[in-house]
Amino acid sequence: MVFPDSVLHALAARPEHVAVEDGGHAVTGAELLSMIGTVARGLRSSGIGPGSAVAMDLDVSAESVAAYLAGYTLGCRVVGVHPGYSAPQRRHVLTRGVDTVLTGDRVAGLLRGPAADPVVLARPDDVARVAYTSGSTGLPKGCMQTYKALSAHWSWGAETWCADTVELARKTGRYLLFGTLSSAVVQDYLALCLLSGGTAVIPRLPAPGEGPLFPGVFERLRATATIMSVPRLYQMLDSLRDARFGLSTVAAIMVAGSPLPAHRLAEAVELLGPVVYSSYGLTETGGLTALTPTDIAHGVLASVGRPLPSVDADVRDGEIYVRTPYQMCGYFDEPELTAETLTPDGWVRTRDLGRLEGGYVYLTGRAREVIIVDALPVYAGPIERLLAAQEDVDQAYVVGAPDDRRGEAVHAFVVPRPGRRLDHAGLRQAVRAELGELSVPETVTELSEVPVAVSGKPDKAALLGLLRGRQTD
């Protein structure tokens, strides 16, 4: 069975069941199939088919879900366009071999055309998805996955599900779908919902002055599961400290995007209950590990989880290498970068430092986040983890900046725990005692919150901007 056959079969198996709930608009499995087929027919009539590149410049809606699945049904190269892109980033994505662009208005027009049933035209070796991730130049790089890869994917290939994935999918009866469908991770967790017969519930975003979406949205929409970034989880935990919210419907919250410190994971479980999952993966590889509530209950808090059954993991000179049947086949139109990341024998360099212990993966740093102090490498990850483990610290992030005296210097940005005061000298001494003089931050800057990048991860470029702005004052 070639992707996305499995999704179409799941929708056809429950034609009267509501597959997507978008505000007051309920779309059944049969209706979603018709929408997929109608969009695909309209695209086909304009010359779009297997191998064509379709850019999805869309928000999160039932129509957008249908558009993405229509592109896959036609065997297209589906390119997600992140709504937070700058003008140069949008131009970079939209001018690289794209045959057509789907906007909300364009999809609405296609849906007014003659109805049709979807027919899968996908070819296994064609590129199915180009998911863009951040690049060192500031322009995103496109990770390509084939239809064969997505057919074997840990979430899209239901026949490959392990017992833990089956259990997680069972909890997605009312899956809260938010963020952006341009994210491969958002698509991949939506798959668990659609393939298991759940309902994807799309929330109405709050208007200015209405307050945050989380955590009240769970009770309001009776949502049972979702995926969120670490910064989003922190915001929700802060809200839960200040007020009581009904979370009785929640069965699973998957946290992904960046490592979750052990003390914050413990706090999340204390406030939310045994519903927290954590995962590790890359846009280049898809999901690699999962840490389940059972693992957490057994005291495993510092790990990012066990490798999924189809994932091979190895540690070479302290760096994690992985191999999966659903990893990318390369970066779009960037052969040199592809060669730097994919080994000749098919392994992916994660550029994350870590270890394998007792069947679990532990991250210890980021190979790329190297600060050269006095001509010697210092890794940001260990400093961040040590600072975040201090009693008064909620979050900690480290960047390197040019320094006339040492080549580069370490600079730390910390968010204190509510009601706590930070001892900057004490934080620097803790780093000195544990990691040595080279790792001691030149400066420690307190923040009320950390800026977040388009990806949902902490924006270190913005932190550098804050640092440079302070240095020029």
Side-chain angles (χ1 to χ4, degrees), residues 115-130:
D117 294 326
V119 178
V120 175
L121 303 178
R123 301 175 300 204
D125 293 329
D126 283 350
V127 173
R129 179 164 71 182
V130 181

Side-chain angles (χ1 to χ4, degrees), residues 5 19 22 49 56 96 99 139 183 250 253 292 324 326 356 380 388 400:
D5 257 330
D22 187 358
M56 301 290 181
R96 302 177 81 211
D99 295 301
L139 294 175
S183 165
V250 178
I253 293 178
T292 70
T324 82
Y326 48 83
L356 297 170

Side-chain angles (χ1 to χ4, degrees), residues 74-408:
L74 286 176
C76 296
R77 186 169 76 243
V78 175
V79 180
V81 182
H82 201 289
Y85 279 151
S86 65
Q89 289 171 330
R90 280 180 60 84
R91 186 163 54 249
H92 177 74
V93 170
L94 292 175
T95 58
R96 302 177 81 211
V98 170
D99 295 301
T100 192
V101 179
L102 288 189
T103 62
D105 288 343
R106 176 95 186 277
V107 172
L110 291 171
L111 286 170
R112 289 193 290 269
D117 294 326
V119 178
V120 175
L121 303 178
R123 301 175 300 204
D125 293 329
D126 283 350
V127 173
R129 179 164 71 182
V130 181
Y132 277 89
T133 185
S134 58
S136 59
T137 64
L139 294 175
K141 54 190 179 185
C143 304
M144 302 183 293
Q145 287 173 289
T146 64
Y147 280 91
K148 181 179 179 180
L150 287 179
S151 299
H153 193 273
W154 76 269
S155 69
W156 287 106
E159 65 277 4
T160 69
W161 287 359
C162 65
D164 286 340
T165 302
V166 170
E167 176 65 12
L168 179 59
R170 186 185 64 79
K171 298 176 180 180
T172 61
R174 287 183 62 80
Y175 177 76
L176 191 67
L177 176 61
F178 71 100
T180 171
L181 287 169
S182 66
S183 165
V185 177
V186 170
Q187 292 182 40
D188 294 346
Y189 280 91
L190 170 62
L192 298 182
C193 171
L194 295 179
L195 290 172
S196 63
T199 299
V201 184
I202 300 173
R204 179 185 63 82
L205 297 180
E210 286 188 351
L213 180 65
F214 294 95
V217 66
F218 288 107
E219 183 177 25
R220 187 168 69 252
L221 296 182
R222 296 177 289 111
T224 61
T226 198
I227 181 172
M228 62 177 59
S229 66
V230 170
R232 174 83 67 174
L233 175 69
Y234 288 162
Q235 293 168 10
M236 190 169 78
L237 295 180
D238 289 342
S239 296
L240 286 170
R241 291 193 197 98
D242 299 334
R244 302 191 69 85
F245 293 88
L247 297 174
S248 61
T249 64
V250 178
I253 293 178
M254 176 62 76
V255 184
S258 53
L260 181 60
H263 76 277
R264 293 310 300 264
L265 176 56
E267 180 187 359
V269 172
E270 179 183 355
L271 291 171
L272 299 171
V275 302
V276 182
Y277 291 74
S278 179
S279 73
Y280 163 62
L282 311 174
T283 307
E284 289 85 346
T285 63
L288 295 171
T289 70
L291 190 71
T292 70
T294 300
D295 296 320
I296 296 167
H298 288 157
V300 182
L301 296 172
S303 168
V304 292
R306 293 169 291 172
L308 297 172
S310 58
V311 173
D312 295 323
D314 191 19
V315 178
R316 306 176 185 179
D317 297 324
E319 182 180 340
I320 298 173
Y321 284 67
V322 296
R323 184 170 56 187
T324 82
Y326 48 83
Q327 68 193 34
M328 73 170 188
C329 58
Y331 294 110
F332 181 74
D333 202 26
E334 297 195 62
E336 292 184 2
L337 186 58
T338 298
E340 292 175 8
T341 304
L342 295 179
T343 68
D345 55 348
W347 290 78
V348 180
R349 286 193 64 186
T350 68
R351 292 183 170 82
D352 285 322
L353 305 176
R355 68 182 191 276
L356 297 170
E357 185 178 300
Y360 290 89
V361 176
Y362 292 83
L363 299 182
T364 59
R366 180 79 169 137
R368 281 181 176 170
E369 291 187 1
V370 178
I371 305 165
I372 306 301
V373 182
D374 289 343
L376 295 172
V378 171
Y379 292 99
I383 306 172
E384 290 173 343
R385 278 186 297 281
L386 191 147
L387 290 172
Q390 302 305 303
E391 183 178 2
D392 298 325
V393 176
D394 187 32
Q395 303 171 54
Y397 302 97
V398 165
V399 299
D403 182 83
D404 292 339
R405 185 169 56 91
R406 311 188 78 176
E408 285 188 306

Side-chain angles (χ1 to χ4, degrees), residues 1-7 9 147 151 159:
M1 185 177 292
V2 178
F3 172 84
D5 257 330
S6 57
V7 184
H9 281 256
Y147 280 91
S151 299
E159 65 277 4

Side-chain angles (χ1 to χ4, degrees), residues 441-457:
E442 188 79 13
T443 62
V444 177
T445 302
E446 290 189 35
L447 299 174
S448 58
E449 60 181 9
V450 174
V452 177
V454 165
S455 64
K457 298 179 181 180

